[in-house]
Amino acid sequence: VQLQASGGGLVQAGGSLRLSCAASGRTFSSYNMGWFRQAPGKEREFVASIAWGGGSTDYADSVKGRFTISRDNAKNTAYLQMNSLKPEDTAVYYCAAGSRSRRQNDYRYWGQGTQVTVSS
């Protein structure tokens, strides 16, 4: 599976962005998916994950209630809707496939990352 993340950009605090993760291959629907982020000078951290069928999700406490992960298996795409963005959400966001774990080492496939910058 090859993953291509997109949708990042510059937004003011309180604004919204929707990230997309397009996957190649016909087996996308069988993979659990996750989003991670890495801020400058910090380690990559878990943001959210979704089961292969979309029925089960998990969120980091820092984004719960503001971010929503979803997927459209017919389009081979996963999404991360980000609302009420804060400057501390500024990071490179990565999508990953192969697990629903909060541990990045459990994921087999990674996208290239998309930059999200939130100005105060």
Side-chain angles (χ1 to χ4, degrees), residues 26-100:
R26 293 178 292 177
T27 59
F28 171 79
S29 61
S30 66
Y31 285 98
N32 298 322
M33 299 290 296
W35 285 95
F36 288 74
R37 67 186 182 185
Q38 187 167 20
K42 295 187 177 181
E43 294 186 353
R44 191 178 299 185
E45 64 176 4
F46 171 80
V47 175
S49 67
I50 187 167
W52 65 271
S56 183
T57 58
D58 185 27
Y59 296 93
D61 288 345
S62 59
V63 306
K64 197 172 295 183
R66 299 188 298 122
F67 290 11
T68 302
I69 189 172
S70 62
R71 65 191 297 160
D72 185 338
N73 287 340
K75 295 182 178 179
N76 279 8
T77 303
Y79 304 97
L80 185 69
Q81 177 67 43
M82 306 185 295
N83 299 329
S84 302
L85 282 162
K86 304 175 181 180
E88 51 263 44
D89 294 319
T90 295
V92 177
Y93 283 71
Y94 299 88
C95 60
S99 178
R100 285 191 57 225

Side-chain angles (χ1 to χ4, degrees), residues 78 113 116:
V116 172

Side-chain angles (χ1 to χ4, degrees), residues 36 46 99-107 110:
F36 288 74
F46 171 80
S99 178
R100 285 191 57 225
S101 168
R102 295 189 173 203
R103 301 192 311 169
Q104 57 179 316
N105 288 344
D106 291 340
Y107 289 77
W110 289 84

